[in-house]
Amino acid sequence: MEQQTPQEFILEAFADPASVRDVVRGILHTIFFHRFFPSLTPHSREVLDIMLPYVEDAELDTMIEKRAAELARELDAERTHSHSHQQTRGTGNSGGRGNISVQFFEKKRRKAWYKIAYGGGDEEICWECWTVKVTVAEPRTESERAKVRKAMEQTLLTTAMKIVTCVNSHKDHIPPITTSEANPFPYQINVNQKDAGWATRMGIY
């Protein structure tokens, strides 16, 4: 059977350096709230005065925290590296750009001949990919901080609503659940800071 191209969604995130982790965690939890199939008790957390859904699962929360921290560290390193260049040019409220992606997979049994020839167990095929493109702003003045805060809140609210719209509008690509495992669809969360790297990776599909 011909392998289907995974459904792709692109989301935007905007934050100051201190809020990157909270914003990214809030967006990822919102995605997983709609795509994490084990039985859940609804929870919510406040991010930038916006109530967002929260998935209370220790393993998932640890993974989200780890990847959000990794992205924040990479963006911080990029900002530190470029700070001197921005000062030299007399510009610089840009704090960097990065990406974090979530992929969901379905497990499919390999054909008998494939197992004999190549070995291995079930095949994991990506059926959905979310890419969050994160832009970090570094405000210098109180006026800039107020503008950035407003933009952060508006972008986060818009992104949260887009996630809801996407999951409600695109359902036909979700594979049937064929396992009794608590979470039938394995997932990956990947950090890929460079825009070029993101373009290259997405070009695989």
Side-chain angles (χ1 to χ4, degrees):
M1 186 174 70
E2 184 179 350
Q3 183 170 329
Q4 298 296 314
T5 301
Q7 180 72 50
E8 297 177 16
F9 301 109
I10 307 296
L11 304 172
E12 300 289 338
F14 183 73
D16 60 24
S19 303
V20 171
R21 287 172 63 174
D22 286 343
V23 168
V24 170
R25 283 185 307 202
I27 292 173
L28 295 187
H29 270 284
T30 302
I31 292 171
F32 276 97
F33 183 79
H34 296 281
R35 285 292 182 256
F36 199 62
F37 287 88
S39 178
L40 295 173
T41 300
H43 292 278
S44 61
R45 280 186 178 178
E46 189 174 283
V47 181
L48 301 178
D49 297 327
I50 300 171
M51 296 303 295
L52 296 176
Y54 169 77
V55 178
E56 194 172 66
D57 180 87
E59 182 179 350
L60 175 61
D61 190 42
T62 298
M63 176 65 73
I64 289 177
E65 172 65 33
K66 182 178 179 181
R67 293 293 184 262
E70 182 182 341
L71 177 62
R73 284 194 303 271
E74 290 189 4
L75 288 170
D76 186 60
E78 178 186 279
R79 192 172 67 256
T80 301
H81 178 72
S82 63
H83 187 67
S84 59
H85 297 287
Q86 292 174 341
Q87 284 185 324
T88 301
R89 295 196 303 268
T91 63
N93 290 340
S94 176
R97 296 174 185 271
N99 304 284
I100 190 164
S101 67
V102 179
Q103 293 175 299
F104 294 97
F105 299 84
E106 65 170 319
K107 290 184 178 180
K108 286 193 172 183
R109 292 188 179 279
R110 297 185 188 275
K111 299 294 185 181
W113 66 264
Y114 187 97
K115 288 186 177 182
I116 294 173
Y118 302 102
D122 293 342
E123 181 182 12
E124 292 190 353
I125 299 174
C126 180
W127 56 272
E128 186 173 88
C129 178
W130 298 77
T131 298
V132 184
K133 303 176 71 174
V134 183
T135 300
V136 179
E138 195 169 7
R140 308 289 187 186
T141 66
E142 286 299 325
S143 175
E144 288 180 357
R145 273 190 279 274
K147 291 179 180 178
V148 168
R149 171 78 184 196
K150 185 176 181 179
M152 286 164 53
E153 293 174 354
Q154 185 58 51
T155 304
L156 180 59
L157 181 59
T158 300
T159 296
M161 294 305 297
K162 182 176 180 179
I163 293 171
V164 174
T165 299
C166 288
V167 298
N168 287 332
S169 302
H170 299 82
K171 298 179 180 179
D172 293 343
H173 67 289
I174 301 176
I177 296 177
T178 58
T179 176
S180 59
E181 294 179 22
N183 181 31
F185 302 124
Y187 58 84
Q188 291 182 7
I189 306 175
N190 299 304
V191 171
N192 195 340
Q193 181 195 342
K194 302 297 184 181
D195 281 343
W198 168 82
T200 300
R201 186 181 61 77
M202 296 305 286
I204 294 174
Y205 301 122

